[in-house]
Amino acid sequence: MKGNMEERACALAAYIIENRATVRAAAKKFGVSKSTVHKDLQDRLPQFNRSLYLQVKEVLEVNKAQRHIRGGMATRKKYKGF
């Protein structure tokens, strides 16, 4: 099981970096929960691949900074009927 978690963490990180994806999108793609994605990326990944962790951390920080904008756009779309 330990090997599988490490492989999954690396695969999740690679997917997020390559696609500039959100945690939600990565969770949906890999069929796991958002909590699992966070646990893999924040707790497990730094222990065995620090450089990959630092790369994925940059993407997640950009996503976090932009999420209020995406949320506002989604609300606008909902009420405008687009």
Side-chain angles (χ1 to χ4, degrees):
M1 186 71 171
K2 179 82 170 155
N4 292 338
M5 288 188 288
E6 289 177 3
E7 291 172 14
R8 182 180 64 210
C10 288
L12 283 165
Y15 177 78
I16 288 175
I17 292 167
E18 289 173 11
N19 299 305
R20 310 295 286 174
T22 61
V23 170
R24 185 176 292 219
K28 187 173 184 179
K29 170 79 174 163
F30 285 84
V32 295
S33 69
K34 293 185 298 181
S35 314
T36 302
V37 174
H38 279 292
K39 181 79 171 174
D40 283 350
L41 298 179
Q42 297 296 324
D43 296 343
R44 296 186 179 118
L45 191 59
Q47 294 174 356
F48 56 86
N49 196 337
R50 184 81 177 156
S51 63
L52 190 60
Y53 166 72
L54 294 174
Q55 291 175 4
V56 79
K57 184 179 175 186
E58 289 179 19
V59 175
L60 294 178
E61 286 176 358
V62 169
N63 288 343
K64 186 176 180 181
Q66 293 175 350
R67 72 178 169 199
H68 69 282
I69 296 169
R70 286 194 300 267
M73 290 170 54
T75 302
R76 181 172 187 228
K77 183 178 176 181
K78 176 181 175 181
Y79 289 106
K80 290 278 186 178
F82 289 98

Coordinates of all heavy atoms in Angstrom, one line a residue:
M1 N 0.8 -1.2 0.0 CA 0.0 0.0 0.0 C 0.9 1.3 0.0 O 0.5 2.2 -0.7 CB -0.9 0.0 1.2 CG -1.9 1.1 1.3 SD -3.2 0.8 0.0 CE -4.3 2.1 0.4
K2 N 2.0 1.2 0.7 CA 2.9 2.4 0.8 C 3.4 2.8 -0.6 O 3.3 3.9 -0.9 CB 4.0 2.1 1.7 CG 5.0 3.2 1.9 CD 4.5 4.2 2.9 CE 5.7 5.2 3.2 NZ 5.2 6.4 3.6
G3 N 3.8 1.8 -1.4 CA 4.3 2.1 -2.7 C 3.2 2.7 -3.6 O 3.4 3.6 -4.4
N4 N 2.0 2.2 -3.4 CA 0.9 2.8 -4.2 C 0.6 4.2 -3.9 O 0.3 5.0 -4.7 CB -0.4 1.9 -4.0 CG -0.3 0.5 -4.6 OD1 0.5 0.3 -5.5 ND2 -1.1 -0.4 -4.1
M5 N 0.7 4.6 -2.6 CA 0.4 6.0 -2.2 C 1.5 6.9 -2.8 O 1.2 8.0 -3.2 CB 0.3 6.1 -0.7 CG -0.9 5.5 -0.1 SD -1.1 5.8 1.7 CE 0.1 4.8 2.4
E6 N 2.7 6.4 -2.7 CA 3.8 7.3 -3.3 C 3.6 7.5 -4.8 O 3.8 8.6 -5.3 CB 5.2 6.6 -3.0 CG 5.5 6.7 -1.5 CD 6.8 6.0 -1.2 OE1 7.5 5.5 -2.2 OE2 7.2 5.9 -0.1
E7 N 3.3 6.4 -5.5 CA 3.1 6.5 -6.9 C 1.9 7.4 -7.2 O 2.0 8.2 -8.2 CB 2.8 5.1 -7.5 CG 4.0 4.2 -7.5 CD 3.7 2.7 -7.9 OE1 2.5 2.5 -8.5 OE2 4.5 1.9 -7.7
R8 N 0.8 7.2 -6.5 CA -0.4 8.1 -6.7 C 0.0 9.5 -6.4 O -0.4 10.4 -7.2 CB -1.5 7.6 -5.8 CG -2.8 8.4 -6.0 CD -3.9 8.0 -5.1 NE -3.5 8.2 -3.7 CZ -3.9 7.5 -2.6 NH1 -4.7 6.5 -2.8 NH2 -3.5 7.8 -1.4
A9 N 0.7 9.8 -5.4 CA 1.1 11.2 -5.1 C 2.0 11.8 -6.2 O 1.7 12.9 -6.6 CB 1.9 11.3 -3.8
C10 N 2.9 11.0 -6.7 CA 3.7 11.5 -7.9 C 2.9 11.7 -9.1 O 3.0 12.7 -9.8 CB 4.8 10.5 -8.2 SG 6.1 10.6 -6.9
A11 N 1.9 10.8 -9.4 CA 1.1 10.9 -10.5 C 0.1 12.1 -10.4 O -0.1 12.9 -11.4 CB 0.3 9.6 -10.7
L12 N -0.4 12.3 -9.2 CA -1.3 13.5 -9.0 C -0.5 14.8 -9.2 O -1.0 15.7 -9.9 CB -1.8 13.5 -7.6 CG -3.0 12.5 -7.3 CD1 -3.2 12.4 -5.8 CD2 -4.2 13.1 -8.0
A13 N 0.7 14.8 -8.7 CA 1.6 16.0 -8.8 C 1.9 16.3 -10.3 O 1.8 17.4 -10.7 CB 2.8 15.9 -8.0
A14 N 2.3 15.3 -11.0 CA 2.6 15.4 -12.4 C 1.4 15.9 -13.2 O 1.5 16.8 -14.1 CB 3.1 14.1 -13.0
Y15 N 0.2 15.4 -12.9 CA -1.0 15.8 -13.6 C -1.3 17.3 -13.3 O -1.6 18.0 -14.3 CB -2.2 14.9 -13.2 CG -3.5 15.3 -13.8 CD1 -3.8 15.0 -15.1 CD2 -4.4 16.0 -13.1 CE1 -5.0 15.3 -15.7 CE2 -5.6 16.4 -13.7 CZ -5.9 16.1 -15.0 OH -7.1 16.4 -15.5
I16 N -1.2 17.7 -12.1 CA -1.5 19.1 -11.7 C -0.5 20.0 -12.4 O -0.9 21.1 -12.9 CB -1.6 19.2 -10.2 CG1 -2.8 18.5 -9.7 CG2 -1.5 20.7 -9.8 CD1 -2.9 18.5 -8.2
I17 N 0.7 19.7 -12.4 CA 1.8 20.5 -13.0 C 1.6 20.6 -14.5 O 1.6 21.7 -15.0 CB 3.2 20.0 -12.6 CG1 3.4 20.2 -11.1 CG2 4.2 20.7 -13.4 CD1 4.7 19.4 -10.6
E18 N 1.4 19.5 -15.2 CA 1.3 19.5 -16.6 C 0.0 20.2 -17.1 O 0.1 21.0 -18.1 CB 1.2 18.1 -17.1 CG 2.5 17.3 -17.0 CD 2.4 15.9 -17.4 OE1 1.3 15.5 -17.9 OE2 3.3 15.1 -17.2
N19 N -1.1 20.1 -16.4 CA -2.4 20.6 -16.9 C -2.8 21.9 -16.1 O -3.8 22.4 -16.4 CB -3.5 19.6 -16.7 CG -3.2 18.4 -17.5 OD1 -3.0 18.5 -18.7 ND2 -3.1 17.2 -16.9
R20 N -1.9 22.3 -15.2 CA -2.3 23.5 -14.3 C -3.7 23.3 -13.7 O -4.5 24.2 -13.6 CB -2.3 24.8 -15.1 CG -1.0 25.0 -15.9 CD 0.2 25.2 -15.2 NE 0.3 26.5 -14.5 CZ 1.3 26.8 -13.7 NH1 2.2 26.0 -13.4 NH2 1.3 28.0 -13.1
A21 N -3.9 22.0 -13.3 CA -5.3 21.6 -12.9 C -5.5 22.0 -11.4 O -4.6 22.2 -10.6 CB -5.4 20.1 -13.0
T22 N -6.8 22.0 -11.1 CA -7.2 22.2 -9.7 C -7.2 20.9 -8.9 O -7.1 19.8 -9.5 CB -8.6 22.9 -9.6 OG1 -9.5 22.0 -10.2 CG2 -8.6 24.2 -10.3
V23 N -7.3 21.0 -7.6 CA -7.4 19.8 -6.8 C -8.6 19.0 -7.1 O -8.6 17.8 -7.3 CB -7.3 20.2 -5.3 CG1 -7.7 19.0 -4.4 CG2 -6.0 20.7 -4.9
R24 N -9.7 19.7 -7.3 CA -11.0 19.1 -7.7 C -10.9 18.3 -9.0 O -11.4 17.2 -9.1 CB -12.1 20.2 -7.8 CG -13.4 19.6 -8.0 CD -14.5 20.7 -8.0 NE -14.6 21.3 -6.6 CZ -15.7 21.6 -6.1 NH1 -16.8 21.5 -6.7 NH2 -15.7 22.1 -4.8
A25 N -10.2 18.9 -10.0 CA -10.1 18.3 -11.3 C -9.2 17.0 -11.2 O -9.5 16.0 -11.8 CB -9.5 19.3 -12.3
A26 N -8.1 17.1 -10.4 CA -7.2 16.0 -10.2 C -8.0 14.9 -9.5 O -7.8 13.7 -9.8 CB -6.0 16.4 -9.5
A27 N -8.7 15.2 -8.5 CA -9.5 14.2 -7.7 C -10.5 13.5 -8.7 O -10.6 12.3 -8.6 CB -10.2 14.9 -6.6
K28 N -11.1 14.2 -9.5 CA -12.1 13.6 -10.4 C -11.4 12.7 -11.4 O -11.9 11.6 -11.7 CB -12.9 14.7 -11.2 CG -14.0 14.2 -12.0 CD -14.8 15.4 -12.6 CE -16.0 14.9 -13.3 NZ -16.8 16.0 -13.9
K29 N -10.3 13.2 -11.9 CA -9.5 12.4 -12.9 C -9.0 11.1 -12.4 O -9.1 10.0 -13.0 CB -8.3 13.2 -13.4 CG -7.3 12.5 -14.2 CD -7.8 12.4 -15.7 CE -6.6 11.8 -16.5 NZ -7.0 11.2 -17.7
F30 N -8.5 11.1 -11.1 CA -7.9 9.9 -10.5 C -8.9 9.1 -9.7 O -8.6 8.0 -9.1 CB -6.7 10.3 -9.6 CG -5.5 10.6 -10.4 CD1 -5.4 11.9 -10.9 CD2 -4.6 9.7 -10.7 CE1 -4.3 12.2 -11.7 CE2 -3.4 10.0 -11.4 CZ -3.3 11.3 -11.9
G31 N -10.2 9.6 -9.5 CA -11.2 8.8 -8.8 C -11.0 8.8 -7.3 O -11.3 7.7 -6.7
V32 N -10.4 9.8 -6.7 CA -10.2 9.9 -5.3 C -10.8 11.2 -4.8 O -11.3 12.0 -5.6 CB -8.7 9.9 -4.9 CG1 -8.1 8.5 -5.3 CG2 -7.9 11.0 -5.6
S33 N -10.9 11.3 -3.5 CA -11.5 12.5 -2.9 C -10.5 13.7 -2.9 O -9.3 13.5 -3.0 CB -12.0 12.2 -1.5 OG -10.8 12.1 -0.6
K34 N -11.0 14.9 -2.7 CA -10.2 16.1 -2.6 C -9.3 16.0 -1.4 O -8.1 16.4 -1.4 CB -11.0 17.3 -2.6 CG -11.8 17.6 -3.8 CD -12.5 19.0 -3.7 CE -13.5 19.0 -2.6 NZ -14.2 20.2 -2.5
S35 N -9.8 15.4 -0.3 CA -9.0 15.2 0.9 C -7.8 14.3 0.6 O -6.7 14.6 1.1 CB -9.9 14.5 2.0 OG -11.1 15.1 2.1
T36 N -8.0 13.3 -0.2 CA -6.9 12.4 -0.5 C -5.8 13.1 -1.3 O -4.6 12.9 -1.1 CB -7.4 11.1 -1.3 OG1 -8.4 10.5 -0.5 CG2 -6.3 10.2 -1.6
V37 N -6.3 13.9 -2.3 CA -5.3 14.7 -3.1 C -4.5 15.6 -2.2 O -3.3 15.7 -2.2 CB -6.1 15.5 -4.2 CG1 -5.1 16.4 -4.9 CG2 -6.7 14.6 -5.1
H38 N -5.2 16.3 -1.3 CA -4.5 17.2 -0.4 C -3.5 16.4 0.5 O -2.4 16.9 0.7 CB -5.5 18.0 0.5 CG -6.1 19.2 -0.2 ND1 -5.3 20.3 -0.5 CD2 -7.3 19.4 -0.6 CE1 -6.1 21.2 -1.1 NE2 -7.3 20.7 -1.1
K39 N -4.0 15.3 1.1 CA -3.1 14.5 2.0 C -1.9 14.0 1.2 O -0.7 14.1 1.7 CB -3.9 13.3 2.5 CG -3.2 12.4 3.4 CD -3.1 13.0 4.8 CE -2.6 12.0 5.8 NZ -2.4 12.6 7.1
D40 N -2.1 13.5 0.0 CA -0.9 13.1 -0.8 C 0.0 14.2 -1.1 O 1.3 14.0 -1.0 CB -1.4 12.4 -2.1 CG -2.0 11.0 -1.9 OD1 -1.9 10.5 -0.8 OD2 -2.6 10.5 -2.9
L41 N -0.5 15.3 -1.5 CA 0.4 16.4 -2.0 C 1.0 17.2 -0.8 O 2.2 17.6 -0.9 CB -0.4 17.4 -2.9 CG -0.9 16.7 -4.2 CD1 -1.7 17.8 -5.0 CD2 0.2 16.1 -5.0
Q42 N 0.3 17.4 0.2 CA 0.8 18.2 1.3 C 1.6 17.4 2.4 O 2.6 17.9 2.9 CB -0.3 18.9 2.1 CG -1.1 19.9 1.2 CD -0.3 21.0 0.8 OE1 0.6 21.5 1.5 NE2 -0.5 21.5 -0.5
D43 N 1.3 16.2 2.6 CA 1.9 15.4 3.7 C 2.9 14.3 3.1 O 4.0 14.2 3.6 CB 0.9 14.7 4.5 CG 0.0 15.6 5.3 OD1 0.4 16.8 5.4 OD2 -1.1 15.2 5.8
R44 N 2.5 13.6 2.1 CA 3.3 12.5 1.6 C 4.4 12.9 0.6 O 5.5 12.4 0.7 CB 2.4 11.4 1.0 CG 1.5 10.8 2.1 CD 0.7 9.6 1.5 NE -0.2 9.1 2.5 CZ -1.5 9.1 2.5 NH1 -2.2 9.6 1.4 NH2 -2.2 8.6 3.5
L45 N 4.0 13.7 -0.3 CA 5.0 14.1 -1.4 C 6.2 14.7 -0.9 O 7.3 14.4 -1.3 CB 4.3 15.0 -2.4 CG 5.0 15.2 -3.7 CD1 5.3 13.9 -4.4 CD2 4.2 16.1 -4.6
P46 N 6.2 15.7 0.1 CA 7.4 16.3 0.5 C 8.4 15.3 1.2 O 9.6 15.6 1.2 CB 7.0 17.3 1.6 CG 5.6 17.5 1.3 CD 5.0 16.3 0.7
Q47 N 7.9 14.2 1.7 CA 8.8 13.3 2.3 C 9.7 12.5 1.4 O 10.8 12.1 1.7 CB 8.0 12.2 3.1 CG 7.2 12.8 4.3 CD 6.3 11.8 5.0 OE1 6.2 10.7 4.5 NE2 5.7 12.3 6.0
F48 N 9.3 12.3 0.1 CA 10.1 11.5 -0.8 C 10.4 12.2 -2.1 O 11.2 11.7 -2.9 CB 9.4 10.1 -1.0 CG 8.0 10.2 -1.6 CD1 7.8 10.3 -2.9 CD2 7.0 10.1 -0.7 CE1 6.5 10.3 -3.4 CE2 5.7 10.1 -1.2 CZ 5.5 10.2 -2.5
N49 N 9.8 13.3 -2.4 CA 10.2 14.1 -3.6 C 10.0 15.5 -3.4 O 9.0 16.1 -3.8 CB 9.3 13.5 -4.8 CG 9.9 14.0 -6.1 OD1 10.6 14.9 -6.2 ND2 9.5 13.2 -7.2
R50 N 10.9 16.2 -2.8 CA 10.8 17.6 -2.4 C 10.7 18.5 -3.6 O 10.0 19.5 -3.6 CB 12.0 17.9 -1.6 CG 12.0 19.3 -1.0 CD 11.2 19.4 0.2 NE 11.2 20.7 0.8 CZ 10.3 21.3 1.5 NH1 9.2 20.5 1.8 NH2 10.4 22.5 2.0
S51 N 11.5 18.2 -4.7 CA 11.4 19.1 -5.8 C 10.1 19.1 -6.5 O 9.6 20.2 -6.9 CB 12.6 18.7 -6.8 OG 12.3 17.4 -7.3
L52 N 9.5 17.9 -6.7 CA 8.2 17.8 -7.2 C 7.1 18.5 -6.4 O 6.2 19.2 -6.9 CB 7.8 16.4 -7.4 CG 6.5 16.1 -8.3 CD1 6.7 16.6 -9.7 CD2 6.3 14.5 -8.3
Y53 N 7.3 18.4 -5.1 CA 6.4 19.1 -4.1 C 6.4 20.6 -4.3 O 5.4 21.3 -4.3 CB 6.7 18.7 -2.7 CG 6.1 19.6 -1.7 CD1 4.7 19.6 -1.4 CD2 6.8 20.6 -1.0 CE1 4.1 20.4 -0.5 CE2 6.3 21.4 0.0 CZ 4.9 21.3 0.2 OH 4.3 22.1 1.1
L54 N 7.6 21.2 -4.5 CA 7.8 22.6 -4.6 C 7.1 23.1 -5.9 O 6.5 24.2 -6.0 CB 9.3 23.0 -4.6 CG 9.9 22.8 -3.2 CD1 11.4 23.1 -3.3 CD2 9.3 23.6 -2.1
Q55 N 7.2 22.3 -7.0 CA 6.6 22.6 -8.3 C 5.1 22.6 -8.1 O 4.4 23.6 -8.6 CB 7.0 21.7 -9.4 CG 8.5 21.8 -9.7 CD 8.9 20.7 -10.7 OE1 8.1 20.0 -11.2 NE2 10.2 20.7 -11.1
V56 N 4.5 21.6 -7.5 CA 3.1 21.5 -7.4 C 2.6 22.5 -6.5 O 1.5 23.1 -6.6 CB 2.6 20.1 -7.0 CG1 2.8 19.8 -5.6 CG2 1.2 19.8 -7.4
K57 N 3.3 22.9 -5.5 CA 2.9 23.9 -4.5 C 2.7 25.3 -5.2 O 1.8 26.0 -4.9 CB 4.0 24.0 -3.4 CG 3.6 25.0 -2.3 CD 4.7 25.0 -1.2 CE 4.4 26.1 -0.2 NZ 5.4 26.3 0.8
E58 N 3.6 25.6 -6.2 CA 3.4 26.8 -6.9 C 2.1 26.9 -7.7 O 1.4 27.9 -7.7 CB 4.6 27.0 -7.9 CG 5.9 27.3 -7.3 CD 7.0 27.5 -8.3 OE1 6.7 27.7 -9.5 OE2 8.2 27.4 -7.9
V59 N 1.8 25.8 -8.3 CA 0.5 25.7 -9.1 C -0.7 25.8 -8.1 O -1.6 26.6 -8.4 CB 0.4 24.4 -9.9 CG1 -1.0 24.2 -10.5 CG2 1.5 24.3 -10.9
L60 N -0.6 25.1 -7.0 CA -1.7 25.2 -6.0 C -1.9 26.6 -5.4 O -3.0 27.0 -5.2 CB -1.5 24.2 -4.9 CG -1.6 22.7 -5.4 CD1 -1.4 21.8 -4.2 CD2 -2.9 22.4 -6.0
E61 N -0.8 27.3 -5.2 CA -0.9 28.7 -4.7 C -1.6 29.6 -5.7 O -2.4 30.5 -5.4 CB 0.5 29.2 -4.3 CG 1.0 28.6 -3.0 CD 2.4 29.0 -2.7 OE1 3.0 29.8 -3.4 OE2 2.9 28.5 -1.6
V62 N -1.2 29.4 -7.0 CA -1.9 30.2 -8.1 C -3.4 29.9 -8.1 O -4.2 30.8 -8.2 CB -1.2 29.9 -9.4 CG1 -2.1 30.5 -10.6 CG2 0.2 30.5 -9.5
N63 N -3.7 28.6 -8.0 CA -5.1 28.2 -8.0 C -5.9 28.8 -6.8 O -7.0 29.3 -6.9 CB -5.3 26.7 -8.0 CG -4.9 26.1 -9.3 OD1 -4.9 26.8 -10.3 ND2 -4.7 24.8 -9.3
K64 N -5.2 28.8 -5.7 CA -5.8 29.4 -4.5 C -6.1 30.9 -4.6 O -7.1 31.4 -4.2 CB -5.0 29.1 -3.3 CG -5.6 29.5 -2.0 CD -4.7 29.1 -0.8 CE -5.4 29.5 0.5 NZ -4.5 29.2 1.7
A65 N -5.1 31.6 -5.2 CA -5.3 33.0 -5.4 C -6.4 33.4 -6.4 O -7.0 34.4 -6.3 CB -3.9 33.6 -5.9
Q66 N -6.7 32.5 -7.3 CA -7.6 32.7 -8.4 C -9.0 32.2 -8.1 O -10.0 32.5 -8.8 CB -7.2 32.1 -9.7 CG -6.0 32.8 -10.3 CD -5.5 32.1 -11.5 OE1 -5.9 31.0 -11.9 NE2 -4.5 32.7 -12.2
R67 N -9.2 31.4 -7.0 CA -10.5 30.7 -6.9 C -11.6 31.6 -6.6 O -12.7 31.3 -7.0 CB -10.3 29.6 -5.8 CG -10.2 30.1 -4.4 CD -10.2 28.9 -3.4 NE -9.8 29.4 -2.1 CZ -9.4 28.7 -1.2 NH1 -9.2 27.4 -1.4 NH2 -9.1 29.2 0.0
H68 N -11.4 32.8 -5.9 CA -12.5 33.7 -5.7 C -13.0 34.3 -7.0 O -14.2 34.6 -7.2 CB -12.1 34.8 -4.7 CG -11.1 35.7 -5.2 ND1 -9.8 35.4 -5.3 CD2 -11.3 37.0 -5.7 CE1 -9.1 36.5 -5.8 NE2 -10.0 37.5 -6.0
I69 N -12.1 34.4 -8.0 CA -12.5 34.9 -9.3 C -13.3 33.9 -10.0 O -14.4 34.2 -10.6 CB -11.3 35.4 -10.1 CG1 -10.6 36.5 -9.4 CG2 -11.6 35.7 -11.5 CD1 -9.2 36.8 -9.9
R70 N -12.9 32.6 -10.0 CA -13.6 31.6 -10.7 C -15.0 31.4 -10.1 O -15.9 31.1 -10.8 CB -12.8 30.3 -10.6 CG -11.6 30.2 -11.6 CD -11.1 28.8 -11.7 NE -10.6 28.2 -10.5 CZ -9.4 28.3 -10.0 NH1 -8.5 28.9 -10.7 NH2 -9.1 27.7 -8.9
G71 N -15.0 31.5 -8.8 CA -16.3 31.4 -8.1 C -17.3 32.5 -8.5 O -18.5 32.3 -8.7
G72 N -16.8 33.7 -8.6 CA -17.6 34.8 -9.0 C -18.1 34.7 -10.4 O -19.3 35.0 -10.7
M73 N -17.2 34.2 -11.3 CA -17.6 33.9 -12.7 C -18.7 32.9 -12.8 O -19.7 33.0 -13.5 CB -16.4 33.6 -13.5 CG -15.5 34.7 -13.7 SD -13.9 34.3 -14.4 CE -14.3 33.4 -15.9
A74 N -18.6 31.8 -11.9 CA -19.6 30.7 -12.0 C -20.9 31.2 -11.5 O -22.0 30.9 -12.0 CB -19.1 29.6 -11.1
T75 N -20.9 32.1 -10.4 CA -22.2 32.6 -9.9 C -22.8 33.6 -11.0 O -24.0 33.5 -11.2 CB -21.9 33.4 -8.6 OG1 -21.3 32.6 -7.7 CG2 -23.2 34.0 -8.1
R76 N -22.0 34.4 -11.6 CA -22.5 35.3 -12.7 C -23.1 34.4 -13.8 O -24.2 34.8 -14.3 CB -21.4 36.1 -13.2 CG -21.8 37.1 -14.3 CD -20.7 38.0 -14.6 NE -21.2 39.0 -15.5 CZ -20.6 39.4 -16.7 NH1 -19.5 38.8 -17.0 NH2 -21.2 40.3 -17.4
K77 N -22.4 33.4 -14.2 CA -22.9 32.5 -15.3 C -24.3 31.9 -14.9 O -25.2 31.8 -15.7 CB -21.9 31.5 -15.6 CG -22.3 30.6 -16.7 CD -21.1 29.6 -17.0 CE -21.5 28.6 -18.1 NZ -20.5 27.6 -18.3
K78 N -24.4 31.5 -13.6 CA -25.6 30.8 -13.1 C -26.8 31.8 -13.2 O -27.8 31.4 -13.6 CB -25.3 30.4 -11.7 CG -26.6 29.8 -11.0 CD -26.3 29.5 -9.6 CE -27.5 29.0 -8.8 NZ -27.2 28.7 -7.4
Y79 N -26.6 33.0 -12.8 CA -27.7 33.9 -12.7 C -28.0 34.7 -14.1 O -29.1 35.2 -14.3 CB -27.5 34.9 -11.6 CG -27.7 34.3 -10.3 CD1 -26.7 34.0 -9.4 CD2 -29.0 33.8 -9.9 CE1 -26.8 33.3 -8.2 CE2 -29.2 33.2 -8.7 CZ -28.1 32.9 -7.9 OH -28.3 32.3 -6.7
K80 N -27.0 34.7 -14.9 CA -27.2 35.4 -16.2 C -27.8 34.4 -17.2 O -28.3 34.8 -18.3 CB -25.9 35.9 -16.8 CG -25.3 37.1 -16.1 CD -26.0 38.3 -16.6 CE -25.3 39.5 -15.9 NZ -25.8 40.8 -16.4
G81 N -27.7 33.1 -16.9 CA -28.3 32.1 -17.8 C -27.4 31.7 -19.0 O -28.0 31.3 -20.0
F82 N -26.1 31.8 -18.9 CA -25.3 31.5 -20.0 C -25.0 30.0 -20.1 O -24.7 29.3 -19.3 CB -23.9 32.2 -19.9 CG -24.1 33.7 -20.2 CD1 -24.1 34.6 -19.1 CD2 -24.1 34.2 -21.4 CE1 -24.3 35.9 -19.3 CE2 -24.2 35.5 -21.7 CZ -24.3 36.4 -20.6

